[in-house]
Structures are given as structure tokens and as C-alpha cells.
Amino acid sequence: MSKVVTFGEVMLRLSTPNHSRFVQSTQFNATYGGGEANVAVSLAQLGIRSAHVTRFPDNELGKAATHQLRGYGVDTDAIVFGGHRMGLYFLETGSSVRPSKIIYDRAGSSFSDITPDMLNWDEILEGADWFHWTGITPAISRGAADCCKKAIEVANKKGITVSGDINYRKNLWQYGKKASEIMPDLIAGCDMLVASTHDAEDILGIKVQNSPNKEMEVFQQIITRFPKVKKIVTTKRGSISASHNTLTGHLYNGSEMMKTEVFEVNPIVDRIGGGDAFIAGVIYGQLVYKNDQKSIDFGVAASILKHTIECDANLATVDEVENLMSGNTSGKIIR
Amino acid sequence: MSKVVTFGEVMLRLSTPNHSRFVQSTQFNATYGGGEANVAVSLAQLGIRSAHVTRFPDNELGKAATHQLRGYGVDTDAIVFGGHRMGLYFLETGSSVRPSKIIYDRAGSSFSDITPDMLNWDEILEGADWFHWTGITPAISRGAADCCKKAIEVANKKGITVSGDINYRKNLWQYGKKASEIMPDLIAGCDMLVASTHDAEDILGIKVQNSPNKEMEVFQQIITRFPKVKKIVTTKRGSISASHNTLTGHLYNGSEMMKTEVFEVNPIVDRIGGGDAFIAGVIYGQLVYKNDQKSIDFGVAASILKHTIECDANLATVDEVENLMSGNTSGKIIR
Amino acid sequence: MSKVVTFGEVMLRLSTPNHSRFVQSTQFNATYGGGEANVAVSLAQLGIRSAHVTRFPDNELGKAATHQLRGYGVDTDAIVFGGHRMGLYFLETGSSVRPSKIIYDRAGSSFSDITPDMLNWDEILEGADWFHWTGITPAISRGAADCCKKAIEVANKKGITVSGDINYRKNLWQYGKKASEIMPDLIAGCDMLVASTHDAEDILGIKVQNSPNKEMEVFQQIITRFPKVKKIVTTKRGSISASHNTLTGHLYNGSEMMKTEVFEVNPIVDRIGGGDAFIAGVIYGQLVYKNDQKSIDFGVAASILKHTIECDANLATVDEVENLMSGNTSGKIIR
Amino acid sequence: MSKVVTFGEVMLRLSTPNHSRFVQSTQFNATYGGGEANVAVSLAQLGIRSAHVTRFPDNELGKAATHQLRGYGVDTDAIVFGGHRMGLYFLETGSSVRPSKIIYDRAGSSFSDITPDMLNWDEILEGADWFHWTGITPAISRGAADCCKKAIEVANKKGITVSGDINYRKNLWQYGKKASEIMPDLIAGCDMLVASTHDAEDILGIKVQNSPNKEMEVFQQIITRFPKVKKIVTTKRGSISASHNTLTGHLYNGSEMMKTEVFEVNPIVDRIGGGDAFIAGVIYGQLVYKNDQKSIDFGVAASILKHTIECDANLATVDEVENLMSGNTSGKIIR
Amino acid sequence: MSKVVTFGEVMLRLSTPNHSRFVQSTQFNATYGGGEANVAVSLAQLGIRSAHVTRFPDNELGKAATHQLRGYGVDTDAIVFGGHRMGLYFLETGSSVRPSKIIYDRAGSSFSDITPDMLNWDEILEGADWFHWTGITPAISRGAADCCKKAIEVANKKGITVSGDINYRKNLWQYGKKASEIMPDLIAGCDMLVASTHDAEDILGIKVQNSPNKEMEVFQQIITRFPKVKKIVTTKRGSISASHNTLTGHLYNGSEMMKTEVFEVNPIVDRIGGGDAFIAGVIYGQLVYKNDQKSIDFGVAASILKHTIECDANLATVDEVENLMSGNTSGKIIR
Amino acid sequence: MSKVVTFGEVMLRLSTPNHSRFVQSTQFNATYGGGEANVAVSLAQLGIRSAHVTRFPDNELGKAATHQLRGYGVDTDAIVFGGHRMGLYFLETGSSVRPSKIIYDRAGSSFSDITPDMLNWDEILEGADWFHWTGITPAISRGAADCCKKAIEVANKKGITVSGDINYRKNLWQYGKKASEIMPDLIAGCDMLVASTHDAEDILGIKVQNSPNKEMEVFQQIITRFPKVKKIVTTKRGSISASHNTLTGHLYNGSEMMKTEVFEVNPIVDRIGGGDAFIAGVIYGQLVYKNDQKSIDFGVAASILKHTIECDANLATVDEVENLMSGNTSGKIIR
């Protein structure tokens, strides 16, 4: 069985129940999530061995977060403990025309203080087939960026497939470096990227005139510039309302732009982590189907199912995703 | 006022709250339900006297189930107590493209150990106008099948109208008999059937070539073979998603196939018991309207309302069903 | 900053959670609301100073209601305490084709026993720019009607803008006077009305033949009869189901009938108070934009957002309303 | 099996969850209870047939209250529907040195408008062995007092045992009559009374000097004055805190004052209805044991168990009460 | 009516429900509290005008905290908004021998970044009679300490009574200054102190040999050294378990050590804020009773009641505190 | 680090919330527990590596149970899947004089169908230091007894310490064998036993006359008869009420009867699993302290803490247990 290792911050998510507003909430639902850990949890539900690497405070919240990841079957042995606090985010879940709102509270977290000496990537990546990171990690702190770079280097040395989700969020980059200074080095070590044309423009300065082929041209430029990158995947989301979305997946393999059908979800139970579920699905497809079209079909179906599950990570099984991927959207009771 | 008697197992239903998945649930919502008892509860809300016959364990769960039925106005005097356990089912409520899931846990239940000597049908059916059973009961155990047969015989002798809902579920028949060996005898005692063309094929071996009239031909064959059967009703469900369904009702009276308009429900609050609510509505129509078209119109409207109510049985009143049946789908606040 | 004063009864609202029916509910959610107070709360969220005037029983429920209003930023200094009980209403929240149901229980409330000597309108309205009342208040009791009249007189004397929401509910008028005897005097003191053609017919006896211009003709007749009235606003609601509505706003300024685009909400979280949110939005528009078209645009957008928030009053901010008003219905996550 | 009929108002009880204060509560727990109905529910749990007579509004709350009583096995066939509203009370549950607080809201209830013509006591009491009323009923309204008197007269005529719980609450008597004018007539028809020396002084004007025998002397005077009264029972409560109470029962049979041991409960889950549980227990003892000492022993044990159960009525079984009555206070798990 | 101003951080408190452990919690109860704001809230419930001064982030959490304080009747007009985050603390509520646990997460909070230029104490303290601060504030940051000092200076100049609760927590002092360097200046401006002998030793270096009079001697030394200080109050807590405590209050007025009786609470609902409730009670006593013995009697009774209420602040009224203060610990239902 | 392996059934526990009775419950809290797994979970919280061996149905409930064990850090790799159903038990949590009630529903569970060929004990026990079983396992089925015997044999062969908790429950032995026929063989392979004098009499036929030394004499007879057994531990529980218990631990080492002090817990949050927490604590003491007196001291302190935690297993840490063991019962807040 393949093994996937992910690296990144995990936050305590405090969400208002029943679509209530922040000011109305006398309770918060509590789960733990983060872009990379969500991929690890999703893969574990799909039967892929996964391990997540992060840093938690050495208190009950750090233990509770570990407890949740481990419960979902993620190997937590490489998690390190220390630092000052658990990163948090507060979520107000929207409905219909009212958007969800997130208040991040992650400054000074245990993860943001991570440094390369805290992690032995040689050991951690031993036996792994795939390493996944996202652009959120190098945005958090210099230390986190350095750890990420080290992990990619070790993975490359060991011949482990590397995927990176660019996921550019400008306001995260607060430690004195720009994404355009840090990211190219990391991207250079990747076999597969998750990227949008916006990401490419913002981080890599790739500008292409509007045309029906714009996306393909951008992706081709990326591949030309970073020869290790073989495939670029992305999703197109149609936001009809906070409760009703459509989704398609694209994959460019250097010659062909493959696309999925348009999938739809209505009503949405939980929008958070939809992108992470897609990536986990694509990684599953690459590892198991070894087929690009099926990878994005599976990824989009997985992502759509994620929208019906309350928490950051996709808890769907292979059967469930394949059922939806085959076009069965009827939702008929399974007895 | 008419009186309807129903017979069948009642299970403790343990459902995950707020669409959460089984693995996420630290709580289950608890109610009691079963295909036949759901009909009795629905009829009681519609102002029809109803009694349910079943067997419960002689413990607090059996008492709680009786408490619930009695609270809804169902006569529980004929319920017997004994045996080993309450049958259960676990329900994960789906949403959008994610289907609901049911895990049955009813083997060895107090009801499955029922035997004809435990019930005095002559007394139980005294004063009744209608007896209703479903194909789930004879599937559970030989004893349950024997009780069901005995009830039908007594009802026939007393001139009580008998309705049976075929509701064929192959994996329930585990005690050494096939449905095709047991069901024909029971069907023979019925005045009205709830059946689908699949049921007819699976249980009665009736096969008809696909054609626009297929359903009518199947139903005619049933009526020909079982001369006591005068009417066959069924529903057609359109499953757009787990949250969005359409429904029509059909009634064949031996000469004419009547159909209702297409009703729609979105979002669905609780899909379970939709069929039972339909049958209760049809029985109400037969007893009160004494009109076939109005019976299925009322039945489908009742079923649609059931989808908006969380529990197995339809808690709608006659006013509410008639309001919807008259085409008022606006959902405007009633003050 | 402008200041708006509202006057009317505030009730304890006891609603069944999770769309459950009354008979199923072992819990009720509790908030406090009333047509006029909802306007005050909404305006406070929009940054407008607001004060609400009412009468509560001098017990913990009266204190809790005051606590809630004050928490939302409404000035509660003019609230008086005394009388026998808190008015209540019970709410069963519908879904899809099942309507919501309200059981009012407000007879004999502390507010219904209010008399003009309990309130010093000269002081209360000192410094106010706008006074708002609804037709529910004069319907409750002679004392409440007298207080309302006195308030309008004082407001008129002080040159404060007065708006009245006719909101005719026939079954409320139980104290021996008809609406047609009381309302004209109150309407005569208004600068702006919220009214429908039905209200005009029922209360003012204005009858106009059906035609595409019927509404405008009715409104013109009102303005002709009540020369102080300069503007009449109203909404048109499309009730597709209890979960899915559309809304447009109209404003007649004596010469022109302005209309908004059709806004849509699906699913509805809480339908109660949609009209009050509209009025609060229109008042905001009159005070801040000083533009009629923008007033109703803002009002309808505010009302639509209200439908996504569980409680009687609109808790949306100016940013949120303006975002929707500008046509952004995508509900994309705000980070 | 014996049958007991009770008569009195049933209110919707709205209690704050988890000991929270009124001002903190965004939810209320909802059950239905009333002094006399609590006796009927308790007796039904003890296996005694019971019926309750009351009047409810003809709305969903009246149906829900009926549903609850019927669920607990109480015959609800004699309940009448009509009038304006459900009586309510709000309960804030105290803890330790903080007392519980009750806000009554029962004025104008459907029960308070009851009149003798609404009830056919001849039919209602047919087949009954015992009739129970309390002093709350004649305090509510003239109509309620008249109904109570009529019931006692019919019971006396039919030779049915009558018990009355004086339960004098001065502030309830608001309709122009004093308890001392109404109660003696009702007491005169009783075979058993629940009374305290305070009740006797306040209502009957019986004053006795303080002495160790004061209670017995007071009870003797009552019995002398009302020759039909054969037994008077009462409890002595030791209130150590809102969470910790002791209880003893006394029964005077005209010659001897019997007493129980001192029972203790800590912590108290729900103090409401402790007295009603005692009376139900005493009635059980009179009907089943036909032994005065065992009656009060059973009554006090039943009352103590009630304090551990959240709702107005005692849900304990005969086995449970007898186990405690025998001195087993260990609370060891029953498997 | 007197007016009290308090100054200090308010944190979002996230507590596990029903005594569950951190690792078990999928929900947190959310309220807002802080040592000084708790005093303001308590005083508002006691009918004393109070205002709280703090700094919140300019987001929905800051608004929700303001909403809560304002709801409880605290004047929030002087609160300033800005900075990075809301300070938090996580609370696991213990029971019996299991202690409660607090995880603070307040580093980098909006309050910790406060500077004197953000607050205009001259305006804020205009019309105030009393200013209260605690030793937590100067421990948080240099800016907070400076603000506190400025407030005391202005209060002294205006002749406003100043109280300070030493409340020394060593691990809070992280910004490079020791308590012994900062606190004496602040203490020097106080009229009343809350202090323990430990505080005196740790911060002021006052060491006195053990003796029955040790506390009085320590307090006398403080008063000698800080001549503005006229009274020192303190409590003695007996911790029998997390659920069962006793409490006495002491007040030294420079000549006499007054003591209260020993009060007891069992079970404790919420231990947090017990000390703040005591101080609020003492301030109430000073302002209203103007009597030292009654002040501490009232303070301890208030504190004990606080232990029965779930949240940081005491929500008891004057009637409730006086009832307990008079020795009524019976917890009898108030109807 | 030491490693402990446990073997036995894990059931889904469905408990009524807030001390409600079964008939009142519309929700059940859901956790998973079993006598042996509770030991494994407790040890994992104490930092001891533990693995649990059991059999679950191959459905979502089996996965959820595995998820919970794994989350708490228990190695679940040796769990096998198959069979028909998850064993259950229903729990009504008592209070004060009202006992808790358990309804077992474990017949026909996946675990009861286990057979020795399903488990490879050689592999499972590789690297283990301790194996623990209880008398519940051999009582469930012949297959379970055989598996248990096999495990003990392999453990003995590998030199692994074996502990067995006799825990005799007569009504569990339903498969045709008596405990006295099966248990001696299993006991013979143990190094440490948990036993009471009742167990010894019922299963081993050891009868000793009452005397102050009775327990020691019984234990000596056991040790004489089973020479591998070196130590016997037991607890004495004082059941003051369902909410208030005392506990002492005894350990007989073949020559000396050691005893702990009497520990007390009031109020009890959750009594279930108190014995398992004791055993886990004793095993911890044996492995880490290697001291008998400290083992039972730690075991009893651990057990007492368990009573304050809602779930079957003890979630206390070594620090917490040692703090209580050292006599600190004050429950003071830990910040």
C-alpha cells in the first residue's frame, strides 16, 4: 500500500452551530483542520496510509488535535510538541446569499515557530511514496518555509513524488519575504502542482492574454520553467450561492488539458476543505488508478462529497466517491 | 369513526444529528418506528382510530416504545412483551449527493421470536374496519409470517378490509423460506396492495415486456391471479438528490390507472417513512373520501409532507395534507 | 449620527429547534422580538443610533428581554416595567412545502395594559430624527393606540420624520374598535407608509379596479387623502416554498413607482422579521443615502439577508447589505 | 385494578437548562405538569389505572400536553378543549444556596375558564375508585371551584374515595372569594387530606398553641369538624440547600400519628412535584397495601426518588420505590 | 446612583460542557470574562452604574464581547477597538477531586498592545465614584501597566475612590519588568486593596513570622507603607474538593480585623470569578451600606452565589445576596 | 517503554444525557467501551503503550469504535472485522438514591462469534510485557473462552506477565458451560488476579468462615491452588449513594495484605469503568513503580478520578493521579 506524507499547520476550528452569527453564538463546534492534514485524513479514509507532520503546543489542545488525527487513521508519530499556542480559526457558516466568514487567529502558533532542526525528514519520509505541501506553509514563517524546503529536497533525493498546492494568500506573507522570493524554489522540486492562473500571475509573474486557451498557455509556461513539474491540476467553482455550488476539475499533462463533467452540490453542509478533498482525490487517482482523467474525476467527486460533510476533511470512502463519480447523484438510501 | 389495525416490528431508530457521519457522532437521536406502526401513527394524526400490534422486550426500551406510540394516540393494548431485545436501526442522514445510510440490527429481536399463540386476533380485530400489514413482517421469521397469515385469515372472516404493502427486501428473508413461497398466500387475502412491478416480478414471477403500459399489465395480472385484490397502488419517486425528490402516486382499480400530479420536496428533512405516509394517506382516503383519485392525491400529499418531518411517521393533520393536495405549495406562515 | 425611535410590543419567541413539530419538541429556542423592536435592532447593526420604547413585566423575563435589546446596541432607557406578563409567541419552523406556524399568546401582556401617562414622549423623542410604529400596536389595546397617537403627535410637533407600517391583522383588533376607526388618525401623521393594496382596501376603504397600475393608483389615493404622506413602500414576495422565496421592493413617491430587481433566497433559515428588516433598510437608505431607489434596493437586500439569520431581527452590517445589493449573491467565503 | 381520577390545570413548564439563569437562557426545556396530573402520571407508572381531567386550548400545545399525558399511560379521554391559552410557568433551577425560581403565567388559561357544564362527572367517574383534587384548582377561578365541588359531590354519591391536597397559596385566590369561603365545603367531602398546620390555620382558622403535640391537635380538630375525613397526611421537609433535602411523612388516622424515617436526597435533580409524588405514593399504599404506615413509607420513598428525576411527575416504578423504602439507598448499578 | 469604572482585559472563555475533558470536547461553551469586567457586570446586576474600559480587536469577536457586556448593563462607550486578536482562555471544568484546568491564550491580544494615548481617562472617569483595577493588567504588558497607572493618577486627582486587587500571578509577568518594580506605584494610589499575605510577600517583600496575628501584621505594614490605603480585604477559601468549598471574608481597616461567618457551597457550578464577585460585593457594600462589616458579609454571600452560576461574573441581585447574607441557605423555591 | 495487550469485547454504550430516564430520552450519548479495552485506553493516557484485540462488525460502527480506540492512542492493528453486529449496552445514569441502570444487548455480537483461528497470538503478543483479560470474555461464548485460553498460553510461553480480572457475572454464562468449568484453567496461567471473596466462592468453591482475616485466607487459598498467581488485588467500595462513594484497594502478595487509605468521590460523574481504571492503575504501578503499595495507591487514585470523567475509560494522566495519590483532594484550579 502506498504511503503519503503531508506537512503543515493544523488549527483548532471553532465554528458557530446551525448557521448562527458570531454575536449569537453561546457555543462553538470544535474540530481540528488544516489544508495539508485534511489531505492526510482524506487519504486515510480512502485506504491510503498517510502521515502528517506538524508542531503542536505541549498541552491538552495539542493532545486533542493529535487524538483526532490519529483517530482518523493518520500516523502522528512525527508530530513534535512545543511552542506557545494552538493556531485557531473561527468560522461563521453562511447560508444562501450570506457568505461564510473566517477569522484567523494563528499568529505566534507553535507551528509558526518551527525550525528545520526539529524534524528529521530522512526518517520521516522513509518508506513514503508521495509528499504533499501547500503554499500556506512557507507563508507562515521563515522557519516553516525552511522546513518545507528541506522536506522537498529530501523527498527529491529519495525519489518520492512531490505535489504542491500553490494556494496563494497574499495577507499571510508577513515575515518579510514575498511569495515570489520563496515559492519558485519549492515549486522547482514538485512533480505535480495545484495552481490557478491567478497563482501563476501573482507568484511567478506569468501573464498571458485572455483567450480560450489562456489556462493551458499559463500551465505550459509553468511546466517549461519548472521541468520537474509534469502535471498541473485545478478546479473551477461556480458559486451560485453559499448553499449551492458547481465544480469541475482540470488537469494539464504538458500536452493535453483534460476536464471533468460539471458536478453540483445543493445544499452545501460545509464548504471548508473542498479543495483539499480534491487534491486528496487526485493523489488517490494517481496512486491507484494511475490514470489522469480518472484522477480528476475522482478528485472532483470526492470534493463534492466533502461539501456534504461537516468538518475540514473528506470522510468519504472509495465506494462512495466512485459511486458519485459514475454519475449516481440520486442520493437514494443505502440499506 | 373507522378503526385501523396494523401489525409489525417497531425498532429503536438511532440517527446521527445534523447530517453528521457515523464516525463523527457522539450522540444519536432516538425515536421508534416501523413500516406498519408508521401507518398507525400517521392515521391517528389524521383522526382515524388506530391500534398497533407488536412484541417488545419487557424492559425500559419496550416501555419507551409503547410510550411513544401511545403518546401519538395509537392503541397499544394488544402489544405483548417478552423475548430478548429491541430491534434497532442506525441511520446516517445524507444530504445532496450523499445518500442516507441504514445499518439494521434487528436479528434476534423480541418481534422475530413472536408466535401465533401470543396474539388473539379474534379479540384484537374486534370492531376494526381495516387491517394493514407489509412484506417485511413475513420476511423476519416463520413465527412472524404465521402471525401475519393468521391475522389476515381472521380479518377476512370478519369482513375487515385488508391492505398489504409488498415491500420486497431480498436480504431480509433469512429463515429458510423464500418470499415466493410465503407471500402469495398472504396476498390472496388482501383487498388492496401496495406493489411495484419489481415486487411483482421478484415475488410472483410476473414478467411483462417493457412498454408504456407495462405497469398496468403487471397490476392486471396480479388482480387476475388474486381475485380478492381490487386495487393496487404505488408511487414513482424521482431522486434528484438526497435533498430533493419528486413523487407521483398511481392507483389501478382493475380497469383504470389513475395518477396524481407530480409533487416536489426540497429540501428533504427526513426521507424515512415516506412510503408508509403514502399508504396511511391512501387508507384515509378510502375510509373518508371513498374516492380512489382523492385517495392517491391525499396519499402523495401526505407523503411529501412526511419528508419535511424528522421521524419515521407522518405527523401532519388532515388540514395540512388537504392544503397541500389542493396545490398550495407556498409554505406561507400560518398565524 | 441619526437617531431612530421605535415603539411596540416585544414578545418572547419560543421556537422549535431543527424544524421539529410542536408535539415533538422537548426544547424551545428563546429569543425576543417584535415588529418595531426588530427595526431598532436592525438599525443598530447598521450603525444607526436607535431606541426602543415598550413595557415589560417587572420580572426576570422583562429583564432578559431588555438585556437582549441592549446587547444589540438599542437604547432601552425609555422602557417601562409593570403589568402582568410577557407576551409570547410559539413558532414551529416549517420547511419546503410545510409552512411555519405561529401560536400567539399575548393577551393580557404588560404592553397591552400600557397607558399614555406611563410614557413621556417629549423626553423620549428629544434628539430623535425618525419615529417608527406599526399597525400592530394600535390593534392590541386602546391604551397602546393612545400611546401611539400621542407619540406621533409629539413627533410631528418636533418635526421628526414618522413612518408607519400598516400591517393590518384583522384578528388582532379585539378591544371594541375597528382599524378603520383608529388608523386614519395615525396615518395622517406619517411621512412614509409601508402599505399594501389589501391594507388600503381593508382599513381605508380604497378600492381600485384591477389593472397593471392598480398599486400606483391605490398609493396615489392614499397620498391624496393624507397629504403629509410623501412616500409609500411595499414588498412583493414570491413564495415558492417555505424554504425558497423571492422578493422585490416598490416605492411610490407621489409621482413615480420605483422597483428593485428580484432577489432570491434559498434555503431560508428564518422567515420571521423579513418585513421589518426591509423597513429598517429603507429607513437607513432615507437617512444615509437620501435616495429613494437606493433605499428600497438596500431594504430588499437587507430583508433577503435577514432570511438567512435565525432570530426576528436582521443582524447584517452595512458592508454585507451593500455587497448583496451590488449583485454579489455568490456567497463566497470571506477570510 | 383500581382506577384513580384527578382534576386540575396542566401547564407548559419552561425550564432553563443546566442551572442557567433566566437572563442566560437561549433555550428552555419543555414539559407539561400540574399538581393533580402529576399524581395521575405517577400512579400510571406504579401500575394504577389513572385518568386526568382538564381543559386545554384547542391548538398544538394542547395536543402536545395531551400527547405527553397519554404517553405516560394516563387516560386523556375526558380532557376538553377550548378557551384561549395554555397556562405556563417558567422555572429557573437553582443549585446549592441559590433557590429555584418560578414565574407563573397562567392567568386567562383555558382551564381558568372552565365551567361545570363542560364536564360530565357522572360519566367521567364511572368505574373510578378514587378521586383526587388540590387546593390550587378552587383558587384559580369560580368555574374551576364549581367543577371541583361538582366532582366531589358526584364522587361522594358514587362512594368513591376522595382525597384533597389543601396546598394553600394565598396569591392564587384572585377572583373575589377567599379560600376560607370555598374550601370548607370541598374539604367536607374528603376521606383523606394532605394538610399542614399552616393550611389549617390559614383556611380553617384552627389555632393551637405550640407544643410537641401541636400537629396532632390540629389534625384532630380538622377531623372533628369534618367527620368524613378519616386520615390526614403531611410531609416535613428539611431544606439544607437547594441541592440537599431531607423528608419525613406523617399520617394521622384519628387516633395515632404515624411517622416515617428521615429520608435524604443529595444532589437534587428536580425539586418540583415532590409533594405530588408523595401523595401518589400514599394513594398507591392505600389502594394496594391497605396499610397506613406502609402508605407513608412508600409515599416518602416515592417523593425522594422524584427529586432525582427531571420533570414534574415521578417516573419511578413500584420496584424502585420499594427498594428505597426498604432502606437501600446505596444507588448501586442495576445490570 | 454611584458609578464604578473598571479597566482590564476581557477574554473569550471557551469551556468544555458537562465537565467533559478537553480531549472529549466537540463543543465549547463561549462567554466573555475578565477579572475587572466581572466586577463591572456584577455591580450592574446589583443596580450600580458601571462602565468597563478595555481594548478589543475590530472584528466580530470584539463586537460579540461588547454585546455581552452591554447586555448585562455595563457602559461600553469607552471601549477602544484595534490590534490583532481577542485574548482567550480554555476551561475544563473539574468535579469532586478532579480540578478545573485553564489554558490561557492571551499573548499578542489587542489589550496587550494598548498604550496610554488610546484612552482619555479624564473623560472616561468624569462622574465616576470608584475606579477598580487588578494586578493582572500591569502584568500583561508595559502599555497596559502605563494605562493603569495613568487611570489611577487621574482618579486620584478627581478624588475618585480607587481599589486594586493585587492578584499576583508570577507567570504573567513576561515583558521584562517584575511585579515588585511596577506594583508599588500603583498600590500607592489605592484607597482599598484586595491582598493576601502571599501577595504582600511576593510583591512588596513584606515578611512576618507565623502567628495568629500574621495577617493583621502584614496588612498593617502595607497600610503603614502606603498611607492612602485605608482598608485591605481578603478571602479565605477552604477547598474540600472542586465541588465543595467554604469561604470567609476578612477586612482590616487599620485598627480592626473584621471577619464574616464561614459560608459554604456544594455543589459548585462554576468556580471562576468567585474572587471578582467578592470584590464587587464589597464595593457595593462600601457604596450603599457604608459599613465595613456589612461590606464583607455582602461580598462573601455574593461570592458564594457566584459559585452557583455558570459564567465569569456574578448575576445575582441585591435581594438574592441579602437573603443569603441573612443566613438563609435553605434554597427553598421562590414562587 | 512497556507494552500491554488487552483482549475483550468493546460495546457501543448509549447513555441517557443529564440523568434522564430511558422513557424521557430523545437522545443517547454514544461512546465505546468494554472492561479490557478500558484498561488499554487508561494505560495509553498514562503513557504506557497498549494494544487492544477484539472483533468488530465490518460496518461504520466497527470503524467508529476503532476510530475511538485509536484516537486514544491504543494500537488497533490486531482488531479483526466480521460477524453480524456491534454489541451494545444502554445506560441510564442515576443520581443520589436512584441507581444507574444498564440494559445489555450483546447477544450475537461479532465478538461472541470469535474463534481462535481468527487471531494470531504469536504475532499479536510479540514484544508485549503484559497481557490482561477479564472473566467477562470466557463468559460470552465458547469461542471467546478458547481465544482467551490460547492468548494466556502464548503469553505464558513468551514469559509475558498475565493479569486476569475474575469479575464473575452469573447471568452472562449462557452457552452451556459454567464458570467453574472454564475459569480455573485460565486463572492457572495468571501472575496477578483481581478477585473478591464472592468470586472465589462462586467460581472456585472456596469457602471460609467469617472473620477479620477472611479475605486474606481466601486469597491465600487461591494462591496455594494456583501457584503461578503471586498477587491478588481487590477494591472495597462504600456506596453511600449513586452520587457518593468511597473506595479502598487491597493487595495480597502471598504474605502480607496491603491496604490503601479510603478515598472519596462526591459527586460521581460516571461510575462505569471504575474497576477497570483501578486495574490499569495497578498495572501501571507494577510496570513503573515496581512497588506493590504504590501500585494500589495509584490504582485507587486512578479509579477515583475515573468517577469524575464521563466515559468508560479513565482519561487521567500520571500527574493527575499522582497528585491525588499524594493526598491532594482540594480540586483547586490548575492554571
Side-chain angles (χ1 to χ4, degrees), chain A residues 183-239:
Chain A
M183 291 291 284
D185 264 14
L186 305 178
I187 291 170
C190 289
D191 301 275
M192 189 174 94
L193 285 185
V194 189
S196 68
T197 53
H198 289 292
D199 290 340
E201 184 167 337
D202 293 338
I203 291 182
L204 304 175
I206 295 174
K207 284 177 200 171
V208 169
Q209 279 197 312
N210 264 338
S211 85
N213 291 327
K214 179 179 174 182
E215 188 178 73
M216 199 168 77
E217 289 174 34
V218 170
F219 287 180
Q220 183 54 49
Q221 286 202 26
I222 297 175
I223 284 179
T224 306
R225 180 156 152 205
F226 300 100
K228 193 170 194 326
V229 175
K230 297 291 176 303
K231 297 169 188 177
I232 303 178
V233 295
T234 197
T235 53
K236 300 287 169 199
R237 179 178 295 274
S239 286

Side-chain angles (χ1 to χ4, degrees), chain C residues 12 14 17 22-23 25-30 59-61 63-64 67 85-86 88 90 92 101 103 105 107, chain D residues 12 14 17 22-23 25-30 59-61 63-64 67 85-86 88 90 92 101 103 105:
Chain C
L12 168 57
L14 294 161
F22 281 124
V23 77
S25 285
T26 56
Q27 284 198 314
F28 288 103
N29 291 333
N59 63 19
E60 277 87 351
L61 298 176
K63 281 179 202 162
H67 176 279
R85 62 183 296 256
M86 174 69 66
L88 312 170
F90 294 90
E92 179 185 282
K101 282 197 175 174
I103 298 174
D105 180 14
Chain D
L12 168 57
L14 294 161
F22 280 124
V23 77
S25 285
T26 56
Q27 284 198 313
F28 288 103
N29 291 333
N59 63 19
E60 277 86 351
L61 298 176
K63 282 180 202 162
H67 176 278
R85 61 183 296 258
M86 173 70 65
L88 312 170
F90 294 89
E92 179 185 281
K101 283 199 175 173
I103 298 174
D105 180 14

Side-chain angles (χ1 to χ4, degrees), chain C residues 233-303:
Chain C
V233 294
T234 197
T235 53
K236 301 287 168 196
R237 180 179 294 275
S239 285
I240 298 160
S241 80
S243 303
H244 187 182
N245 279 195
T246 61
L247 205 70
T248 13
H250 294 191
L251 183 150
Y252 182 66
N253 62 6
S255 58
E256 193 187 354
M257 181 67 86
M258 297 170 189
K259 300 188 178 182
T260 69
E261 287 181 49
V262 179
F263 285 73
E264 189 169 6
V265 57
N266 182 13
I268 292 171
V269 171
D270 188 337
R271 159 76 182 80
I272 309 298
D276 307 322
F278 168 70
I279 301 166
V282 172
I283 294 174
Y284 176 88
Q286 295 288 318
L287 289 170
V288 176
Y289 299 138
K290 300 176 199 300
N291 173 303
D292 288 341
Q293 181 66 46
K294 287 186 75 175
S295 291
I296 49 172
D297 288 348
F298 190 90
V300 173
S303 180

Side-chain angles (χ1 to χ4, degrees), chain F residues 183-194:
Chain F
M183 291 291 283
D185 263 14
L186 305 178
I187 292 170
C190 289
D191 301 274
M192 188 175 95
L193 284 186
V194 189

Side-chain angles (χ1 to χ4, degrees), chain E residues 2 4 6 35 38-40 42-44 46 48 129-132 161-165 191-195 219 230-236 247-253 258-260 263 273-304 306 314 316-318 321-322 325:
Chain E
S2 304
V4 177
T6 57
N38 299 345
V39 171
S42 294
L43 284 166
L46 297 171
I48 302 292
D129 300 278
W130 194 292
F131 174 72
H132 177 70
T161 306
V162 175
S163 59
D165 178 2
D191 301 274
M192 189 174 94
L193 284 186
V194 188
F219 287 0
K230 297 291 175 302
K231 298 169 187 176
I232 303 178
V233 295
T234 197
T235 54
K236 300 287 169 198
L247 205 70
T248 11
H250 294 192
L251 183 150
Y252 182 65
N253 62 6
M258 298 170 190
K259 299 189 179 182
T260 69
F263 284 72
D276 307 322
F278 168 70
I279 300 166
V282 172
I283 294 175
Y284 176 88
Q286 296 287 318
L287 288 170
V288 176
Y289 299 138
K290 300 175 198 305
N291 173 303
D292 287 342
Q293 181 66 45
K294 287 185 77 174
S295 292
I296 48 172
D297 289 348
F298 190 91
V300 173
S303 180
I304 285 290
K306 165 61 204 62
N314 188 15
T317 62
V318 171
V321 181
E322 290 189 337
M325 180 183 160

